[in-house]
Amino acid sequence: MARGKLRIYLGAAPGVGKTFAALSEAHRRRERGTDVVAGLVETRDRPRTAELLDGLEVMPRLPRPGGGPGELDLDALLRRAPRVAVVDDLAHTNAPGTRNAKRWQDVDELLNAGTDVITTLNIQHVESLNDVVQQITGVRQHETIPDEIVRRADQIELCDMSPHALRRRMSHGNIYPAEKIDAALSSYFREGNLTALRELALLWVADRVDEGLALYRGEHKIRQTWEARERVVVALTGGPEGETLIRRAARVAARSRGGRPQPSHLMAVHVVASDAPAHPLPDVIAEQRRLLAELGGTYHQVIGDDIPTALLEFARGVNATQIVLGSSRRRVWQYMFGPGVGATVARESGDIDVHIVTHEEVGRGRNLLPPLAGTLGRARQAWGWTIGMLGPALLAGALQLPVTQSVGLTTHMLLFLVATIAAAMAGGLWPALLCAVWSTLLLDLLFTPPLYGLAIDRPDNGLALAVFVLVGVLVAFVVDVAKRRSLQANRSKAEASTLSLLASSVIDGQEPLPALLRRIRETFGQRSVALLRQEDSGEWTRLECVGEAPCESPDQADALVSVSDSLALALRGHVLPAADRRILGAFATHIGIALERQRLAHDAAEAKRQAARNKIRTALLAAVSHDLRTPLTSIKASVSSLRAVDIELAEEDRAELLENIEESTDRLNSLVDNLLDMSRLQTDTVQPKIRAVGLEEVVPATLIGIPAHTVHVDVPDNLPRVRADAGLLERAVANVVQNAARHNPPGRPPIRLSASALGDTVELRVADHGPGVADEHKDRIFEAFQRLGDAPRGTGIGLGLAVARGFTEAMDGTLTAEDTPGGGLTMVFTLHSTAAEPARSGSAAAPAGLSADPGSAADSSGAPGGSSTPRREV
């Protein structure tokens, strides 16, 4: 069965109309006669969206444990097997106990079953943008989806709306309930946040469109440049002028898009070729790469025998519209050897604009015979044959002049030997052999008596000519061998430089495998590179690819190298020589290492998660066996006594039994709350709603149930507000205060709860005067299911401090333990302050007579992706 097609409606923020657009598309397909089912749609109480469900078959939901909106019934939808299914909210995390942890996994199963899926997604849920979204909004999204899942979508449609229009929709109550509107508009839905998120969405979709354009150009073999987007390529030689060229290219790229260049707009390329200048110093190229990264560009290195051709091939491969080159460093007389790279590129660039930039190194010269990499090029061989043919003839003509008549035969031979060595250095062995034979004939004809004939009248002259031929041949051979050894050494140097660049890109990159394939394509100048895997059936599938028209099977490859028994690297573009295949084998080894490292990292992470689950499971069983059974036993015994008909209980005895039931129930409720909180922390489902919170909103509720005389509160009136989730902060502080109350013995000073501002943070300290904790145990007390020896059995399962620290860290704060002066333990909450107004006067409260509505600390932030935080019942 053919895999279904995935259509994603992508938006910058909630409320832009993704679900509305998805349902509208479902109705269009239904009207065309397509079998369409609404698998799961979140209307969020929006009337106009709910109206679009009329006329569509809606699948019943699976009940969600604990209540709330149900989950997608995947099995029922697979049995129904519609042609098209609407499944809203692709990044949603399913409830525990469902078949898949994430909704995108449910969608993947539907696609594998041949069902087309229409879904929705907000840009903040894309995994690679998580950190960027957190920097913009201050909210870390815990529901994310891998980039690859989104990139594999067959269609992505952007639902766009201006920030002003979206805020107006919010104000009219078309997105969130009325009680959340003000908080949302002042936090997540600020105009600056929405503008930045909108730009992220537009750029992400633009990159996807660019990938589609590259695929189309490859499939249709289009080589000319399409100026759909300005891309600037700057050519580097490794010389000191590189920084000037990079800055100039960055300005060109910035002007072309009206701002800072993106990595896809500015690319620097260094061509390592057989006739290139000497390799640059590592610190020079490293400094240029650093500057390039600061300016928002990327560095690339390719190997090519002809610099202009390699440069233009690279530029056309990335669909560049402009090339920036530096003016030649050659001196005037050196132009007799050719027009230079700049003139050649400008002549052959076609529709790519070429900028020639002047710099301080212009005309200062460069080496004409640099270290080479690879075999002798055609130009070098042509020079060798030219010297071998014309050199002896020109030298013979010069020796016929009157001023050289007194020079003897020995000097003539030495001069002709120099010409032979020059031919060997320029063109190798065969031009040098030609020069040696040609020089011998000229020596015999013009300088050995009898002149102008091949006959030799003296044996010593014949011996001298024979020795000259032998020496010429030997010198030519030695020079040729030395030159080729130098070529091999420099070839190895270029390969080592390429592999070093490869290793650094793999280490620094977030996606090692795509980075490796891109380096291979750029290094060897190929059209595409694909990693193929052979299935058990013998068929080949493509795991990863880059470039245009990648191979589907090894038969389509111009170059193929094995990575493992079932993996192969297929290159399409041109056949590689044997020397390049050696370095390609090294790339294949790196790919094998990268894949193995990914597998080991995945196995290690899974093993760590499994170990954590086993630890939690073991501790939970121990808690159920004792700590939870103890209050249940107490409740059972008290209830049995109250119900006994054969026992007459005094009124004070009945009151004591009822008090025991109440205390045991409270303790049981506290244990269950802590277990639920810890399970949320372990599964990363705690999503704080950060806003400006005054401590006067939190402290009163944390002290309810604590005797007034046991706590002393010292919270100044003028403290700044803190960035926190009021519900989470209240729960964390309450757990710490209750823990301090259990350990503060009678007769000792009361617990002290104080707060102070330190720079851009606020510290809230809870100090008791109990037995304290040794330094080596101060970190252990924050671990789940940990109790120190002084904690009596039945007083808890060791989760209170673990939950408190987990909630505090979820709000980007810290909770640490330190000694109380005079004995005891002090818990220190450190929270980030805000630039908002100070806490209201009169917020400091004495313990006696504290009264606060627990719901006053309820948060109503409009940040998407969060859920209401369970509160401590008072």
Side-chain angles (χ1 to χ4, degrees):
M1 183 179 297
R3 180 177 168 89
K5 296 185 180 299
L6 177 62
R7 183 187 184 103
I8 298 177
Y9 285 90
L10 181 69
V16 297
K18 303 180 299 299
T19 305
F20 191 92
L23 291 174
S24 299
E25 175 64 19
H27 277 283
R28 284 192 291 271
R29 298 197 185 191
R30 178 178 173 275
E31 291 169 0
R32 294 197 298 265
T34 305
D35 181 19
V36 181
V37 168
L40 188 145
V41 176
E42 302 286 358
T43 62
R44 295 176 177 86
D45 298 326
R46 298 168 188 168
R48 293 190 60 195
T49 304
E51 290 174 2
L52 288 178
L53 288 176
D54 296 339
L56 292 177
E57 179 183 350
V58 180
M59 297 293 295
R61 298 191 180 196
L62 283 175
R64 185 182 179 94
E71 298 289 355
L72 174 68
D73 192 344
L74 179 60
D75 293 328
L77 193 55
L78 288 172
R79 289 193 298 270
R80 172 63 176 78
R83 186 68 191 89
V84 178
V86 181
V87 181
D88 206 3
D89 198 0
L90 186 60
H92 172 76
T93 300
N94 293 331
T98 52
R99 189 159 85 191
N100 295 314
K102 298 287 187 178
R103 187 166 292 168
W104 64 262
Q105 296 171 320
D106 297 337
V107 169
D108 198 53
E109 288 196 34
L110 290 171
L111 295 173
N112 288 333
T115 299
D116 294 347
V117 176
I118 302 173
T119 187
T120 63
L121 180 69
N122 281 330
I123 192 66
Q124 69 261 25
H125 296 300
V126 178
E127 177 64 40
S128 64
L129 301 177
N130 201 339
D131 293 340
V132 179
V133 172
Q134 184 180 12
Q135 292 172 2
I136 295 170
T137 65
V139 178
R140 184 168 189 84
Q141 300 295 329
H142 294 278
E143 288 187 336
T144 59
I145 182 172
D147 289 47
E148 184 58 29
I149 303 301
V150 188
R151 291 184 180 278
R152 286 208 305 259
D154 299 278
Q155 290 178 289
I156 297 180
E157 184 169 330
L158 181 66
C159 296
D160 189 34
M161 181 177 292
S162 70
H164 180 72
L166 186 57
R167 284 173 58 85
R168 187 170 61 249
R169 287 198 65 198
M170 174 70 74
S171 301
H172 292 167
N174 296 330
I175 300 178
Y176 285 166
E179 64 272 12
K180 291 187 176 183
I181 292 176
D182 291 339
L185 289 175
S186 62
S187 58
Y188 194 89
F189 280 80
R190 293 195 301 269
E191 188 163 354
N193 288 0
L194 297 177
T195 301
L197 291 173
R198 186 188 189 197
E199 182 180 20
L200 280 180
L202 292 171
L203 289 175
W204 205 93
V205 174
D207 288 339
R208 177 60 191 265
V209 172
D210 191 54
E211 293 174 5
L213 177 62
L215 181 62
Y216 177 85
R217 284 164 52 85
E219 291 174 349
H220 293 78
K221 297 181 174 57
I222 300 172
R223 302 297 295 167
Q224 66 267 28
T225 300
W226 285 4
E227 297 185 10
R229 183 190 296 188
E230 291 288 344
R231 289 184 178 85
V232 181
V233 171
V234 53
L236 301 179
T237 64
E241 75 280 2
E243 293 189 11
T244 301
L245 301 182
I246 292 172
R247 290 190 176 92
R248 179 60 181 274
R251 291 196 295 271
V252 173
R255 284 198 302 270
S256 65
R257 69 179 301 270
R260 176 181 170 83
Q262 296 292 322
S264 60
H265 298 102
L266 176 60
M267 291 159 281
V269 58
H270 178 214
V271 181
V272 179
S274 58
D275 56 350
H279 292 291
L281 295 175
D283 55 345
V284 174
I285 202 68
E287 182 66 21
Q288 293 176 6
R289 291 183 64 183
R290 181 197 61 77
L291 175 62
L292 191 67
E294 291 178 355
L295 296 175
T298 56
Y299 176 83
H300 307 266
Q301 180 171 294
V302 299
I303 297 176
D305 290 334
D306 185 82
I307 290 180
T309 301
L311 179 58
L312 289 172
E313 283 294 322
F314 176 85
R316 294 189 179 103
V318 299
N319 201 25
T321 58
Q322 302 184 66
I323 297 177
V324 176
L325 293 162
S327 297
S328 177
R329 287 184 290 146
R330 298 190 300 174
R331 294 186 174 90
V332 175
W333 62 268
Q334 292 176 333
Y335 280 96
M336 63 181 295
F337 298 103
V341 174
T344 304
V345 170
R347 184 179 65 246
E348 300 178 1
S349 62
D351 50 5
I352 302 177
D353 296 337
V354 178
H355 303 263
I356 305 296
V357 179
T358 59
H359 50 82
E360 295 180 354
E361 302 296 321
V362 173
R364 296 192 176 184
R366 65 181 183 90
N367 189 8
L368 285 179
L369 298 175
L372 305 177
T375 59
L376 292 173
R378 294 183 177 179
R380 296 295 303 275
Q381 293 179 9
W383 275 108
W385 289 109
T386 301
I387 295 174
M389 290 294 295
L390 298 181
L394 294 175
L395 183 59
L399 293 176
Q400 294 296 321
L401 298 176
V403 296
T404 59
Q405 293 298 322
S406 60
V407 178
L409 180 61
T410 303
T411 304
H412 294 159
M413 291 183 176
L414 292 176
L415 293 174
F416 279 99
L417 185 59
V418 170
T420 303
I421 295 174
M425 293 184 66
L429 178 61
W430 294 107
L433 290 179
L434 171 66
C435 185
V437 173
W438 179 221
S439 298
T440 302
L441 291 175
L442 291 176
L443 284 170
D444 188 15
L445 288 171
L446 302 177
F447 304 103
T448 305
L451 301 178
Y452 312 116
L454 298 179
I456 302 174
D457 59 354
R458 294 178 56 184
D460 58 336
N461 289 339
L463 179 61
L465 289 174
V467 171
F468 172 82
V469 173
L470 179 61
V471 170
V473 171
L474 292 177
V475 168
F477 180 80
V478 171
V479 172
D480 180 76
V481 170
K483 179 59 63 178
R484 293 187 183 276
R485 292 292 183 269
S486 176
L487 294 175
Q488 295 173 2
N490 284 285
R491 172 75 184 192
S492 300
K493 184 178 179 180
E495 293 176 355
S497 175
T498 301
L499 291 176
S500 174
L501 179 62
L502 162 69
S504 65
S505 67
V506 173
I507 293 173
D508 296 338
Q510 297 298 319
E511 298 177 344
L513 187 56
L516 277 167
L517 298 184
R518 283 194 297 270
R519 292 296 177 187
I520 293 173
R521 177 178 174 271
E522 294 166 1
T523 299
F524 298 102
Q526 299 289 327
R527 288 178 56 201
S528 65
V529 179
L531 181 62
L532 306 178
R533 180 176 64 189
Q534 189 174 29
E535 305 294 346
D536 295 337
S537 61
E539 296 182 356
W540 289 87
T541 59
R542 198 167 58 208
L543 291 182
E544 190 71 53
C545 64
V546 295
E548 305 170 355
C551 300
E552 298 285 351
S553 67
D555 298 337
Q556 301 174 355
D558 294 319
L560 187 70
V561 62
S562 175
V563 177
S564 65
D565 293 339
S566 59
L567 294 176
L569 197 61
L571 284 68
R572 172 176 282 180
H574 58 82
V575 178
L576 293 178
D580 286 343
R581 289 180 179 273
R582 290 196 302 269
I583 192 171
L584 182 59
F587 275 85
T589 302
H590 276 278
I591 289 178
I593 294 172
L595 293 174
E596 182 66 14
R597 185 170 60 186
Q598 287 180 352
R599 186 188 66 80
L600 293 176
H602 178 271
D603 292 347
E606 183 61 31
K608 185 176 180 180
R609 287 193 295 269
Q610 189 64 35
R613 294 191 194 103
N614 291 337
K615 182 178 179 181
I616 294 291
R617 189 179 298 113
T618 302
L620 183 58
L621 290 174
V624 171
S625 67
H626 186 281
D627 295 282
L628 295 180
R629 183 179 296 173
T630 299
L632 289 173
T633 303
S634 179
I635 294 171
K636 173 69 174 177
S638 298
V639 171
S640 298
S641 299
L642 290 171
R643 295 187 61 190
V645 296
D646 55 344
I647 301 176
E648 287 291 337
L649 295 175
E651 193 63 33
E652 58 270 16
D653 293 333
R654 296 177 64 85
E656 183 179 351
L657 289 173
L658 290 173
E659 183 181 358
N660 182 51
I661 292 174
E662 184 178 9
E663 290 177 354
S664 298
T665 304
D666 289 341
R667 195 167 73 195
L668 184 62
N669 183 64
S670 177
L671 293 176
V672 172
D673 282 347
N674 279 334
L675 284 172
L676 292 175
D677 289 339
M678 181 51 61
S679 68
R680 294 174 64 217
L681 289 170
Q682 293 291 333
T683 56
D684 290 332
T685 56
V686 175
Q687 298 177 349
K689 300 178 180 179
I690 304 297
R691 65 180 179 90
V693 177
L695 292 183
E696 81 281 359
E697 301 176 33
V698 176
V699 171
T702 64
L703 301 179
I704 295 177
I706 305 296
H709 67 277
T710 62
V711 181
H712 175 72
V713 177
D714 181 15
V715 179
D717 296 346
N718 58 349
L719 278 180
R721 300 167 76 83
V722 298
R723 290 183 54 81
D725 182 305
L728 296 184
L729 182 58
E730 176 193 326
R731 188 60 179 272
V733 176
N735 281 356
V736 171
V737 172
Q738 291 170 6
N739 185 74
R742 285 197 300 269
H743 292 86
N744 202 54
R748 299 284 289 172
I751 299 169
R752 182 177 177 83
L753 197 156
S754 60
S756 60
L758 296 175
D760 60 350
T761 62
V762 173
E763 284 190 355
L764 181 65
R765 308 171 75 87
V766 181
D768 65 54
H769 298 276
V773 176
D775 291 340
E776 60 269 21
H777 297 314
K778 281 188 172 64
D779 285 332
R780 273 190 56 205
I781 62 176
F782 294 106
E783 296 179 7
F785 303 101
Q786 292 292 326
R787 295 185 302 185
L788 297 184
D790 63 339
R793 299 291 294 181
T795 61
I797 55 177
L799 284 178
L801 295 182
V803 170
R805 172 173 273 190
F807 282 175
T808 305
E809 291 180 348
M811 297 180 290
D812 199 24
T814 60
L815 175 59
T816 56
E818 60 184 44
D819 294 329
T820 302
L825 187 68
T826 298
M827 294 292 181
V828 183
F829 292 87
T830 303
L831 302 167
H832 294 286
S833 64
T834 70
E837 71 278 3
R840 294 184 297 272
S841 62
S843 61
L850 280 175
S851 64
D853 177 10
S856 65
D859 184 77
S860 59
S861 169
S867 58
S868 62
T869 304
R871 304 294 308 281
R872 183 170 69 93
E873 296 297 333
V874 180

